[in-house]
Amino acid sequence: MEVPFRHIRNDFPILQEKVYGKELIYLDNAATTQKPKVVVEAIEQGYYKTNANIHRGVHYLSMRATEAHESARACVARFLNASDPAEIVFTRGTTEAINLVASSFGEAFCNEGDVILCSEMEHHSNIVPWQLLCQRKKLQLKVIPILDNGDLDRQALRAMLTSEVRLLAITHVSNVLGTINPVKEIIRLAHEHNIAVLIDGAQAVPHVKVDVLDLDADFYAFSGHKMYGPAGIGVLYGKRKWLDQMPPYQGGGEMIAQVHFSGSTWNELPYKFEAGTPDFIGSTALAKAIEYVEHLDMDAIARYETDLMHYATDALLQLGDVRIFGTSVHKSAVISFQLGNIHPFDVGTLLDRMGLALRTGHHCAQPLMDRFGIEGTIRASFAVYNVPEEVDVLITALKRIRTMF
Ligand code: PLP
């Protein structure tokens, strides 16, 4: 197969590292991706040259740091095709973005007896915040089932879109099955019933082009660290019409207009949702990561990763006793599997000793494991810097492991 991105491996120094004296083969990209030099250098330069607290200072460094942070926000807005940078709220990651919406949208728009919908393929961070909200406000969390191949059961979805539903929270791409949900269609259907939709984009943004206006998403969340950016910074996109009406999520500096003991008033968007000092170096480094993937071209990344996923799937299936979970035709570069009857943890541990980093376990999706009646899987997840030769090493390693049992 053609490998258009082989040259970029030099941008990621960690890929030259050895583990236990073996070449590192990093196939745990759904957990976090490695960072290109431009991102690491942006962090270093930020602390060396423009470190000062933002928004509050009239001095030179503070103004430069503020400019960098706000231009990162504009960069994210452009990347997601949001109509206004004020609709981009910086968070710590996807988890915090979803908690913000659950808490704040829940407070403003949900009442006893209302329903929140999610799906069977959600990550815990798109389940537990809704469970907490449901407990707090006496709502019901209903779950859209999936089919055996890992596709969402669209018939069930249609039947569940009722007048009691306030919000549908669903992942764009499953971190276990790789399923790419037809979110544009799902949002259109939900909107026909005046249901707001939150899309968990943690596994989508690094792999497919996202256009929040075209999708008509009400909320869209993602994490910097899963898309070649730093950990500790993420994004909540929210439509102004919702964000304007939602109460603050946390209180503190910067989110206020006035504070008096007689009462306080809130800052304009997006600052109303950004209490305290944000990760202003992280935001700048995230913008570098965005520029990096834009330069490679999101469509070309998606094409290449799909080819690599098919290459790996074919090779795994040739092993004979591999069971793959998630066989949707609309699939991103994630493969969850089991090897014969060998416990995924044993496979993962032995792979590690051979230099291969793969994830094993429930992948923070225990309800999905329940759905398939399993405890866990081994997961290979790919990024743009992975190459077919790494898949070949994985297959050889799995063959060796098989002989050990
Ligand atoms: N949603 C999905 C689909 C994920 O895969 C993850 C992380 O694995 C998250 C949410 C949570 O992301 P974070 O831990 O960066 O907040």
Side-chain angles (χ1 to χ4, degrees):
M1 63 175 284
E2 215 191 313
V3 184
F5 296 115
R6 195 178 290 280
H7 61 286
I8 68 161
R9 290 179 66 82
N10 292 329
D11 296 340
F12 296 83
I14 202 168
L15 298 178
Q16 270 82 58
E17 285 294 303
K18 296 227 179 329
V19 292
Y20 312 113
K22 313 258 174 13
E23 306 282 334
L24 167 68
I25 294 186
Y26 187 78
L27 298 177
D28 193 16
N29 296 286
T32 199
T33 56
Q34 300 304 342
K35 321 301 169 200
K37 282 185 216 158
V38 282
V39 167
V40 179
E41 282 163 8
I43 297 168
E44 192 184 68
Q45 291 304 306
Y47 282 116
Y48 282 160
K49 295 201 186 279
T50 52
N51 180 46
N53 208 333
I54 57 167
H55 295 311
R56 289 157 216 181
V58 289
H59 60 80
Y60 176 82
L61 272 191
S62 175
M63 287 189 285
R64 282 199 58 195
T66 305
E67 260 168 44
H69 184 65
E70 290 307 324
S71 76
R73 194 190 307 280
C75 172
V76 174
R78 186 180 39 72
F79 180 57
L80 293 181
N81 195 30
S83 44
D84 182 354
E87 294 177 317
I88 302 298
V89 178
F90 283 119
T91 63
R92 284 192 296 123
T94 308
T95 304
E96 190 178 50
I98 297 173
N99 275 280
L100 188 163
V101 177
S103 166
S104 200
F105 180 95
E107 188 57 38
F109 298 107
C110 298
N111 295 305
E112 186 169 346
D114 287 347
V115 171
I116 302 289
L117 283 183
C118 72
S119 88
E120 226 168 6
M121 68 174 93
E122 299 310 313
H123 186 280
H124 295 165
S125 39
N126 202 21
I127 299 174
V128 183
W130 305 112
Q131 288 180 324
L132 291 170
L133 170 67
C134 288
Q135 277 169 19
R136 186 159 59 85
K137 296 208 81 177
K138 299 194 172 65
L139 318 180
Q140 260 194 80
L141 182 63
K142 291 194 179 166
V143 184
I144 309 159
I146 61 164
L147 305 175
D148 288 343
N149 71 348
D151 276 338
L152 192 75
D153 184 339
R154 290 206 226 177
Q155 236 179 319
L157 163 73
R158 280 171 196 270
M160 293 174 84
L161 296 172
T162 61
S163 59
E164 297 84 53
V165 181
R166 292 281 85 79
L167 183 136
L168 163 62
I170 189 158
T171 195
H172 194 163
V173 171
S174 160
N175 66 315
V176 178
L177 308 166
T179 310
I180 305 176
N181 279 317
V183 285
K184 187 173 174 178
E185 164 79 358
I186 292 171
I187 292 169
R188 191 183 60 72
L189 287 172
H191 284 175
E192 281 174 11
H193 296 79
N194 294 321
I195 298 168
V197 183
L198 174 139
I199 304 293
D200 171 351
Q203 298 296 341
V205 164
H207 307 289
V208 297
K209 206 175 194 154
V210 172
D211 180 331
V212 288
L213 280 190
D214 180 55
L215 294 178
D216 201 21
D218 297 287
F219 302 100
Y220 197 101
F222 76 92
S223 300
H225 71 98
K226 291 186 195 285
M227 63 148 302
Y228 312 103
I233 186 92
V235 169
L236 171 68
Y237 159 80
K239 276 186 186 165
R240 181 182 273 280
K241 73 163 183 183
W242 296 119
L243 295 180
D244 268 341
Q245 296 179 73
M246 284 158 51
Y249 173 51
Q250 292 180 327
E254 199 55 40
M255 50 73 69
I256 47 85
Q258 293 280 328
V259 177
H260 301 286
F261 282 119
S262 55
S264 302
T265 52
W266 317 136
N267 203 342
E268 61 191 20
L269 291 180
Y271 311 111
K272 180 172 84 171
F273 293 107
E274 293 182 353
T277 302
D279 186 354
F280 52 87
I281 302 280
S283 59
T284 316
L286 172 61
K288 285 285 175 215
I290 289 174
E291 285 165 13
Y292 185 83
V293 291
E294 282 181 329
H295 178 69
L296 297 181
D297 185 76
M298 285 310 298
D299 290 330
I301 291 175
R303 275 196 303 277
Y304 172 62
E305 289 179 346
T306 305
D307 285 352
L308 190 59
M309 185 263 294
H310 287 309
Y311 178 87
T313 304
D314 291 347
L316 281 167
L317 289 175
Q318 275 174 26
L319 286 175
D321 53 353
V322 163
R323 180 177 172 203
I324 292 181
F325 298 86
T327 52
S328 171
V329 287
H330 305 290
K331 196 175 158 172
S332 175
V334 175
I335 308 177
S336 284
F337 63 96
Q338 288 181 342
L339 179 67
N341 293 326
I342 312 172
H343 197 285
F345 183 77
D346 293 335
V347 180
T349 308
L350 289 165
L351 286 174
D352 169 56
R353 288 283 150 176
M354 299 178 199
L356 289 123
L358 277 80
R359 183 135 305 223
T360 61
H362 56 60
H363 315 296
C364 294
Q366 277 183 322
L368 184 60
M369 299 298 119
D370 294 344
R371 158 68 176 78
F372 285 103
I374 55 175
E375 270 179 46
T377 72
I378 311 146
R379 182 183 72 184
S381 54
F382 301 92
V384 64
Y385 43 66
N386 288 123
V387 290
E389 292 87 327
E390 294 177 306
V391 174
D392 300 341
V393 176
L394 170 65
I395 299 296
T396 307
L398 291 172
K399 282 182 182 161
R400 231 181 106 196
I401 290 170
R402 207 163 46 177
T403 64
M404 297 176 187
F405 284 84

mmCIF file of all heavy atoms in Angstrom, residues 75-90:
data_model
loop_
_atom_site.group_PDB
_atom_site.id
_atom_site.type_symbol
_atom_site.label_atom_id
_atom_site.label_comp_id
_atom_site.label_asym_id
_atom_site.label_seq_id
_atom_site.Cartn_x
_atom_site.Cartn_y
_atom_site.Cartn_z
ATOM 1 N N CYS A 75 -8.178 30.024 15.693
ATOM 2 C CA CYS A 75 -7.698 28.886 14.894
ATOM 3 C C CYS A 75 -8.637 27.683 15.078
ATOM 4 O O CYS A 75 -9.016 27.018 14.098
ATOM 5 C CB CYS A 75 -6.270 28.551 15.325
ATOM 6 S SG CYS A 75 -5.625 27.052 14.605
ATOM 7 N N VAL A 76 -9.040 27.403 16.318
ATOM 8 C CA VAL A 76 -9.965 26.286 16.580
ATOM 9 C C VAL A 76 -11.302 26.556 15.873
ATOM 10 O O VAL A 76 -11.882 25.659 15.250
ATOM 11 C CB VAL A 76 -10.200 26.092 18.102
ATOM 12 C CG1 VAL A 76 -11.274 25.039 18.341
ATOM 13 C CG2 VAL A 76 -8.911 25.706 18.806
ATOM 14 N N ALA A 77 -11.774 27.802 15.956
ATOM 15 C CA ALA A 77 -13.063 28.153 15.338
ATOM 16 C C ALA A 77 -13.008 27.898 13.831
ATOM 17 O O ALA A 77 -13.921 27.310 13.244
ATOM 18 C CB ALA A 77 -13.412 29.606 15.619
ATOM 19 N N ARG A 78 -11.905 28.305 13.222
ATOM 20 C CA ARG A 78 -11.748 28.083 11.776
ATOM 21 C C ARG A 78 -11.689 26.584 11.470
ATOM 22 O O ARG A 78 -12.327 26.089 10.548
ATOM 23 C CB ARG A 78 -10.470 28.790 11.308
ATOM 24 C CG ARG A 78 -10.241 28.770 9.821
ATOM 25 C CD ARG A 78 -8.953 29.479 9.406
ATOM 26 N NE ARG A 78 -7.810 29.268 10.283
ATOM 27 C CZ ARG A 78 -7.120 28.145 10.381
ATOM 28 N NH1 ARG A 78 -7.430 27.116 9.632
ATOM 29 N NH2 ARG A 78 -6.100 28.038 11.215
ATOM 30 N N PHE A 79 -10.930 25.846 12.293
ATOM 31 C CA PHE A 79 -10.741 24.404 12.096
ATOM 32 C C PHE A 79 -12.080 23.662 12.145
ATOM 33 O O PHE A 79 -12.339 22.747 11.367
ATOM 34 C CB PHE A 79 -9.801 23.897 13.200
ATOM 35 C CG PHE A 79 -9.480 22.431 13.152
ATOM 36 C CD1 PHE A 79 -8.916 21.848 12.024
ATOM 37 C CD2 PHE A 79 -9.701 21.618 14.265
ATOM 38 C CE1 PHE A 79 -8.597 20.500 11.993
ATOM 39 C CE2 PHE A 79 -9.384 20.275 14.244
ATOM 40 C CZ PHE A 79 -8.837 19.712 13.107
ATOM 41 N N LEU A 80 -12.947 24.066 13.076
ATOM 42 C CA LEU A 80 -14.251 23.391 13.215
ATOM 43 C C LEU A 80 -15.323 24.040 12.344
ATOM 44 O O LEU A 80 -16.461 23.575 12.323
ATOM 45 C CB LEU A 80 -14.723 23.446 14.677
ATOM 46 C CG LEU A 80 -13.937 22.669 15.725
ATOM 47 C CD1 LEU A 80 -14.589 22.847 17.096
ATOM 48 C CD2 LEU A 80 -13.848 21.181 15.390
ATOM 49 N N ASN A 81 -14.955 25.135 11.683
ATOM 50 C CA ASN A 81 -15.895 25.963 10.923
ATOM 51 C C ASN A 81 -17.038 26.482 11.809
ATOM 52 O O ASN A 81 -18.207 26.460 11.415
ATOM 53 C CB ASN A 81 -16.452 25.215 9.698
ATOM 54 C CG ASN A 81 -17.116 26.176 8.724
ATOM 55 O OD1 ASN A 81 -16.722 27.348 8.641
ATOM 56 N ND2 ASN A 81 -18.146 25.725 8.014
ATOM 57 N N ALA A 82 -16.669 26.944 12.993
ATOM 58 C CA ALA A 82 -17.650 27.634 13.859
ATOM 59 C C ALA A 82 -17.816 29.052 13.335
ATOM 60 O O ALA A 82 -16.878 29.618 12.779
ATOM 61 C CB ALA A 82 -17.137 27.655 15.287
ATOM 62 N N SER A 83 -19.019 29.616 13.519
ATOM 63 C CA SER A 83 -19.214 30.944 12.922
ATOM 64 C C SER A 83 -18.583 32.052 13.756
ATOM 65 O O SER A 83 -18.358 33.138 13.253
ATOM 66 C CB SER A 83 -20.702 31.211 12.686
ATOM 67 O OG SER A 83 -21.441 30.802 13.789
ATOM 68 N N ASP A 84 -18.245 31.759 15.028
ATOM 69 C CA ASP A 84 -17.771 32.827 15.902
ATOM 70 C C ASP A 84 -16.815 32.234 16.948
ATOM 71 O O ASP A 84 -17.187 31.288 17.653
ATOM 72 C CB ASP A 84 -19.026 33.422 16.589
ATOM 73 C CG ASP A 84 -18.702 34.577 17.493
ATOM 74 O OD1 ASP A 84 -17.503 34.871 17.706
ATOM 75 O OD2 ASP A 84 -19.661 35.190 18.008
ATOM 76 N N PRO A 85 -15.603 32.788 17.095
ATOM 77 C CA PRO A 85 -14.676 32.274 18.121
ATOM 78 C C PRO A 85 -15.288 32.303 19.526
ATOM 79 O O PRO A 85 -14.869 31.534 20.398
ATOM 80 C CB PRO A 85 -13.470 33.216 18.036
ATOM 81 C CG PRO A 85 -13.530 33.787 16.662
ATOM 82 C CD PRO A 85 -14.987 33.854 16.271
ATOM 83 N N ALA A 86 -16.298 33.158 19.750
ATOM 84 C CA ALA A 86 -16.929 33.216 21.077
ATOM 85 C C ALA A 86 -17.682 31.914 21.393
ATOM 86 O O ALA A 86 -18.056 31.670 22.542
ATOM 87 C CB ALA A 86 -17.883 34.398 21.162
ATOM 88 N N GLU A 87 -17.899 31.091 20.377
ATOM 89 C CA GLU A 87 -18.565 29.802 20.597
ATOM 90 C C GLU A 87 -17.564 28.684 20.934
ATOM 91 O O GLU A 87 -17.947 27.527 21.077
ATOM 92 C CB GLU A 87 -19.370 29.410 19.356
ATOM 93 C CG GLU A 87 -20.540 30.364 19.097
ATOM 94 C CD GLU A 87 -21.304 30.033 17.818
ATOM 95 O OE1 GLU A 87 -20.650 29.744 16.798
ATOM 96 O OE2 GLU A 87 -22.538 30.069 17.846
ATOM 97 N N ILE A 88 -16.289 29.069 21.032
ATOM 98 C CA ILE A 88 -15.235 28.090 21.378
ATOM 99 C C ILE A 88 -14.826 28.307 22.826
ATOM 100 O O ILE A 88 -14.230 29.332 23.178
ATOM 101 C CB ILE A 88 -13.995 28.267 20.462
ATOM 102 C CG1 ILE A 88 -14.368 28.110 18.986
ATOM 103 C CG2 ILE A 88 -12.870 27.308 20.865
ATOM 104 C CD1 ILE A 88 -14.916 26.748 18.604
ATOM 105 N N VAL A 89 -15.143 27.342 23.675
ATOM 106 C CA VAL A 89 -14.770 27.410 25.093
ATOM 107 C C VAL A 89 -13.599 26.458 25.296
ATOM 108 O O VAL A 89 -13.695 25.280 24.933
ATOM 109 C CB VAL A 89 -15.951 26.964 25.989
ATOM 110 C CG1 VAL A 89 -15.546 26.979 27.459
ATOM 111 C CG2 VAL A 89 -17.180 27.837 25.747
ATOM 112 N N PHE A 90 -12.495 26.977 25.858
ATOM 113 C CA PHE A 90 -11.394 26.072 26.187
ATOM 114 C C PHE A 90 -11.706 25.349 27.502
ATOM 115 O O PHE A 90 -12.161 25.966 28.476
ATOM 116 C CB PHE A 90 -10.072 26.841 26.315
ATOM 117 C CG PHE A 90 -9.478 27.199 24.974
ATOM 118 C CD1 PHE A 90 -9.278 28.528 24.616
ATOM 119 C CD2 PHE A 90 -9.125 26.212 24.070
ATOM 120 C CE1 PHE A 90 -8.731 28.859 23.377
ATOM 121 C CE2 PHE A 90 -8.577 26.528 22.830
ATOM 122 C CZ PHE A 90 -8.376 27.851 22.491
#
